[in-house]
Amino acid sequence: MAESPQLTPPTDSEAGGAPPRRRRWIPYVILGVVIVAGGGWGLRKWIYSRGHETTDNAQVEGHVVPVLPKVGGYVSRVFVEDNQIVAEGDTLVTLDARDYEVKVQQAEAELEAARVAAARNGAATAEVAQAAARSAAARASIAAAQAAFDRAERDVKRIRSLAEHQVVSRQQLDQAVATYRSASADLEAARNQASAARAGVSGASAGVRTADARLAAAQAALDAARLQLSYTVITAQAAGRVSKKTVEVGQLVGPSQTLMSLVDEHNVWVVANLKETQLDGVRVGQPVKIDVDAYDGVDFTGHVESIQGATGARFALLPPDNATGNFTKVVQRVPVRIALDQRAPNAPVLRPGMSVEVAIDTRAKRGDTASNTHSLVDR
């Protein structure tokens, strides 16, 4: 029996011809495109970094006004809720004012008593006038007594000289000496009366001043009581949004206790904490591009307004002291304040505390804000 021939599978060349070598270059083309695109992107980033300083250590800042009572008491009414927008001067909280009303009434009574006492100053004023008149009369008496004393002194000297030459009698000399002594006593008495009159004027004037001082003190006490009463109505010191409200009706509050905070959402700015190695090319007035994490795709613009005078670590509760212990060099950060340029009224709201990324254009070498025509947000 003859053997049948063995069948062999056809080769690639026999089945379909030569393999498609023309498709092997596609991966290399893709790799080349990726390398060129990556190189271009890297070059662009390098060129951009040469003229810009960027950081993501930045956030929106604004005015947060605490609402603090100036007097203590029980809360009688709360007029606002969390996240409510209030205007400057709006009433926020009122305290129980009965205790302070009683103090005002007491101060009014004391002021009335002081006015009654001051009304009696008419007699004291008249007494002052009389004492002044007696003082003037005493001064005139001093002048007359001084003139009589001077004349008696001259007469004694003249008569004593004549008596030595026996021109006048001894009796005349004795009479002149007696007149001189009488004039001296009258002069001393006039001086004493003048001193007593001056003392009377001072005493009467002191009484008038005391009554006036009591009246002024009573008026000041009334004004202080009324001021304390006015503090029982707590109003908004600035416009803003009510945040972190912790006060409720019936709560006992004390002075300087934070009841809530008012956040100003219009007057905001950005604080970027740049590394100290990034400050070489940063100048006041340079334009800034701002990306807010909360609003993807929305760009904000601003300009460098100021650079803080010290690093943030210098204002820490426990600032570093490199002169003690082991020294470890740490790159410090310096806060840079960035003012926002004026935006459209329908622009997204920037709230204090939002995280942002900033890019400062250091190619602009403006050194002052006087040439910058942009204004702050709603400022």
Side-chain angles (χ1 to χ4, degrees):
M1 184 174 181
E3 295 180 358
S4 61
Q6 296 181 354
L7 299 176
T8 59
T11 61
D12 294 340
S13 298
E14 295 175 349
R21 296 180 178 274
R22 54 191 178 87
R23 295 182 180 180
R24 293 181 179 180
W25 56 268
I26 295 178
Y28 298 100
V29 172
I30 295 175
L31 180 60
V33 171
V34 171
I35 293 175
V36 172
W41 180 83
L43 179 62
R44 181 181 178 184
K45 284 293 184 181
W46 181 79
I47 295 175
Y48 184 83
S49 64
R50 294 280 295 176
H52 296 78
E53 292 293 346
T54 61
T55 183
D56 59 355
N57 190 345
Q59 63 180 6
V60 179
E61 295 289 349
H63 297 288
V64 179
V65 181
V67 177
L68 310 173
K70 296 182 179 180
V71 296
Y74 288 94
V75 177
S76 61
R77 192 173 179 184
V78 180
F79 293 88
V80 294
E81 297 294 339
D82 277 320
N83 304 323
Q84 179 178 338
I85 297 178
V86 298
E88 183 178 357
D90 288 352
T91 301
L92 306 177
V93 180
T94 57
L95 305 179
D96 188 355
R98 288 175 293 181
D99 292 341
Y100 299 98
E101 291 173 351
V102 171
K103 292 181 180 179
V104 169
Q105 294 174 0
Q106 181 180 359
E108 289 176 347
E110 292 177 355
L111 177 61
E112 186 62 25
R115 286 174 177 171
V116 172
R120 301 173 183 172
N121 284 348
T125 304
E127 184 178 353
V128 170
Q130 295 176 1
R134 289 194 295 269
S135 178
R139 289 195 299 270
S141 298
I142 290 176
Q146 184 68 47
F149 173 78
D150 294 340
R151 185 176 63 254
E153 187 178 19
R154 289 193 300 270
D155 290 344
V156 168
K157 291 180 180 179
R158 185 174 58 255
I159 292 175
R160 180 176 285 119
S161 176
L162 294 176
E164 290 176 354
H165 295 83
Q166 296 182 354
V167 176
V168 296
S169 62
R170 183 68 182 180
Q171 181 180 5
Q172 292 177 331
L173 177 60
D174 294 340
Q175 184 178 359
V177 171
T179 303
Y180 168 77
R181 292 176 178 176
S182 176
S184 177
D186 292 342
L187 178 60
E188 185 67 21
R191 289 174 177 173
N192 292 336
Q193 290 177 0
S195 298
R198 287 194 297 270
V201 172
S202 299
S205 300
V208 173
R209 289 194 299 271
T210 300
D212 292 339
R214 289 177 180 175
L215 180 61
Q219 183 64 53
L222 177 59
D223 294 340
R226 288 174 176 172
L227 186 62
Q228 295 289 315
L229 178 61
S230 67
Y231 288 156
T232 59
V233 179
I234 303 173
T235 59
Q237 300 300 313
R241 185 182 296 272
V242 176
S243 303
K244 202 175 181 180
K245 182 179 75 70
T246 60
V247 60
E248 298 295 341
V249 176
Q251 180 180 349
L252 178 61
V253 299
S256 302
Q257 177 181 345
T258 303
L259 305 183
M260 65 189 72
S261 297
L262 300 179
V263 180
D264 187 355
E265 298 177 348
H266 300 286
N267 187 13
V268 295
W269 62 92
V270 172
V271 174
N273 299 304
L274 296 180
K275 295 180 180 179
E276 54 186 330
T277 55
Q278 296 179 287
L279 292 176
D280 186 33
V282 177
R283 299 290 184 272
V284 174
Q286 291 175 339
V288 182
K289 179 183 177 182
I290 304 168
D291 293 330
V292 184
D293 294 353
Y295 306 118
D296 189 17
V298 180
D299 293 333
F300 298 86
T301 59
H303 60 273
V304 177
E305 186 177 30
S306 62
I307 302 175
Q308 186 167 283
T311 63
R314 298 304 302 171
F315 300 98
L317 182 61
L318 296 175
D321 188 355
N322 296 333
T324 60
N326 296 326
F327 169 68
T328 302
K329 184 176 181 180
V330 178
V331 178
Q332 302 295 320
R333 291 185 179 269
V334 179
V336 176
R337 178 164 173 157
I338 300 172
L340 296 171
D341 295 338
Q342 190 171 6
R343 299 177 291 115
N346 58 350
V349 178
L350 295 179
R351 293 179 171 85
M354 283 184 170
S355 298
V356 301
E357 296 183 11
V358 300
I360 302 175
D361 187 357
T362 56
R363 296 171 299 180
K365 298 301 181 182
R366 290 179 290 178
D368 57 355
T369 57
S371 60
N372 196 304
T373 58
H374 298 294
S375 61
L376 300 181
V377 177
D378 295 336
R379 177 177 291 181

